[in-house]
Amino acid sequence: MAKSISAATLLGLVLCCALLSTVYAGNDYLWGEIGDNDYKLAKDTVSKAFFVGLVQTKKYVFKQSNDLNALTITAIKVTDKKSSNGATAVLVAGGPGSKGATIQFTSQRGYGIKDVVEIWGR
């Protein structure tokens, strides 16, 4: 004989799942919009090991070699590879609409940085 789940129990389970997904979600970012005609200009892993008690920072710079033939960035996607305690990313220069970009990563105290940066353009 099958047991039915009460509405209150189901609501509780949904709330727990929502809470866990926000607690363990990484710090993912998307600046701009990836279009159908866009090319992936770069895909790089940005990482820096943890050091007990310290906040780690790392600067990622994307620069195209030939300014005359450089493509315009349409989107930057940052995917946090840590399941918890991931680093934050701030786009400090360039980005969508420009030819280059600089992103500053900052870890939580006592944790490292491990993110994947994808840059799209046309």
Side-chain angles (χ1 to χ4, degrees), residues 3-121:
K3 293 183 180 182
S4 64
I5 297 176
S6 71
T9 304
L10 184 60
L11 180 61
L13 288 172
V14 169
L15 289 174
C16 285
C17 289
L19 179 63
L20 287 175
S21 69
T22 57
V23 169
Y24 292 108
N27 294 326
D28 296 340
Y29 300 89
L30 177 64
W31 294 288
E33 188 174 321
I34 302 170
D36 293 335
N37 297 326
D38 293 347
Y39 299 98
K40 190 182 291 187
L41 304 178
K43 182 177 181 180
D44 296 306
T45 300
V46 177
S47 60
K48 190 167 186 180
F50 76 95
F51 198 84
V52 177
L54 295 181
V55 173
Q56 300 288 42
T57 60
K58 186 149 188 181
K59 186 181 288 187
Y60 172 82
V61 177
F62 172 76
K63 185 176 179 182
Q64 299 181 63
S65 60
N66 186 349
D67 288 334
L68 295 176
N69 294 326
L71 298 175
T72 300
I73 295 172
T74 56
I76 299 174
K77 182 178 179 182
V78 176
T79 306
D80 189 359
K81 291 302 185 181
K82 293 175 140 301
S83 60
S84 62
N85 299 310
T88 58
V90 176
L91 183 62
V92 293
S98 65
K99 308 288 185 187
T102 303
I103 303 170
Q104 181 73 38
F105 292 89
T106 305
S107 76
Q108 294 186 31
R109 186 169 305 282
Y111 291 91
I113 300 169
K114 187 168 184 183
D115 291 81
V116 174
V117 177
E118 294 177 275
I119 299 181
W120 298 80

